[in-house]
Amino acid sequence: MQILFVTFLLLCGLIMLIPLGTVCFRHYKRRISYGRILKTIDSLFVNTNPFAIAKSARIQDSTEFLYGEIEICTLLDLVACTQPLSKQVFYDLGSGCGKTLFAVKLAYPFLKVKGIEMIDALHQLAVQKYDLYLAKSHLSSSAFELVLIHQNFIQVNILDADIIFINATAYSKATWEQILDKLIQLKVGTKVIITSKTLPATHFSKTYQGMEWMSWGLTSTYVYEKTH
């Protein structure tokens, strides 16, 4: 009986390790695939700690403004699910220090990339890194178009969006309702990449669902398309 119990435990452990192994292998493949982009971003943000900057600047210590970063490789895979087209507009609602914006622009140079961030210290960091990238690459802003907007995205017109990323994990019910009202106004065909929260089937069709590791832990991820 004891041998059977030990065997059962070992089998359970093996079953639990298989998904973990799959995630690790997928992560390895992603880092190889996006190696050039990751190297560029790592170089750009060397000796920079956006988490510390966000913590010191957080508005009234609200949990809604806790800083978290989506894993770059994960984001690029999710963007790929939307099948981006030339001249389409990508938004990051709450773009923080700008890492996601650089990643998307480097992976899809034909996209118009826009980030909206209301916390001044994070916005200024993104501007600093943007200027640094242009200088190091000997590019003009017109040659590497990336728009950084310092504002509360609830107050910004995003109806030109074709693809939107929003890390919705920390938002309160009240704030999420405001965001949802804004998303419902998007044009038909707009793709929305979102963490943690779901969108109503009355207006959106879910095209992807998964679980991914972020800076704050394992998180559900979704891709939707606006249908009504």
Side-chain angles (χ1 to χ4, degrees), residues 137-157:
S137 305
H138 306 290
L139 293 172
S140 65
S141 57
S142 60
F144 189 83
E145 186 182 8
L146 193 155
V147 180
L148 299 168
I149 303 169
H150 183 206
Q151 201 169 342
N152 183 333
F153 64 74
I154 295 294
Q155 301 168 349
V156 179
N157 184 339

Side-chain angles (χ1 to χ4, degrees), residues 15-223:
I15 291 171
M16 293 176 66
L17 283 173
I18 290 173
L20 179 60
T22 301
V23 170
C24 291
F25 180 67
R26 184 172 60 192
H27 180 69
Y28 170 76
K29 287 182 63 178
R30 284 170 167 172
R31 293 198 68 83
I32 295 297
S33 176
Y34 301 123
R36 177 184 60 86
I37 294 172
L38 295 174
K39 185 178 180 180
T40 299
I41 294 174
D42 287 345
S43 174
L44 198 59
F45 285 86
V46 66
N47 299 323
T48 304
N49 188 344
F51 291 90
I53 293 171
K55 184 177 181 180
S56 63
R58 207 164 65 218
I59 300 174
Q60 298 177 346
D61 288 329
S62 169
T63 56
E64 287 195 307
F65 299 99
L66 289 173
Y67 184 74
E69 292 183 353
I70 187 171
E71 211 275 332
I72 294 297
C73 297
T74 297
L75 173 64
L76 293 179
D77 274 1
L78 291 171
V79 173
C81 289
T82 69
Q83 299 180 320
L85 300 174
S86 180
K87 304 301 182 183
Q88 284 189 327
V89 179
F90 171 91
Y91 274 93
D92 182 348
L93 306 186
S95 52
C97 67
K99 286 184 182 181
T100 56
L101 305 176
F102 284 108
V104 173
K105 186 64 179 177
L106 289 169
Y108 301 97
F110 53 79
L111 287 177
K112 298 179 179 179
V113 175
K114 300 182 180 183
I116 309 175
E117 177 56 52
M118 68 176 291
I119 297 179
D120 183 66
L122 290 174
H123 171 74
Q124 294 303 327
L125 178 59
V127 171
Q128 175 191 342
K129 297 303 182 182
Y130 182 39
D131 291 342
L132 177 61
Y133 178 79
L134 293 179
K136 290 176 66 175
S137 305
H138 306 290
L139 293 172
S140 65
S141 57
S142 60
F144 189 83
E145 186 182 8
L146 193 155
V147 180
L148 299 168
I149 303 169
H150 183 206
Q151 201 169 342
N152 183 333
F153 64 74
I154 295 294
Q155 301 168 349
V156 179
N157 184 339
I158 59 170
L159 295 180
D160 61 331
D162 297 292
I163 306 167
I164 289 175
F165 167 63
I166 179 168
N167 177 7
T169 301
Y171 290 123
S172 67
K173 181 180 179 181
T175 299
W176 174 242
E177 288 176 352
Q178 293 183 71
I179 295 170
L180 189 55
D181 287 343
K182 197 169 187 65
L183 296 178
I184 287 173
Q185 297 175 41
L186 295 170
K187 65 190 177 190
V188 171
T190 302
K191 311 291 178 61
V192 180
I193 302 166
I194 194 165
T195 64
S196 300
K197 292 180 172 58
T198 57
L199 299 180
T202 50
H203 294 84
F204 296 89
S205 172
K206 183 169 61 180
T207 59
Y208 172 83
Q209 177 177 348
M211 295 290 291
E212 298 286 353
W213 282 104
M214 310 295 176
S215 65
W216 62 93
L218 192 62
T219 305
S220 53
T221 56
Y222 306 91
V223 178

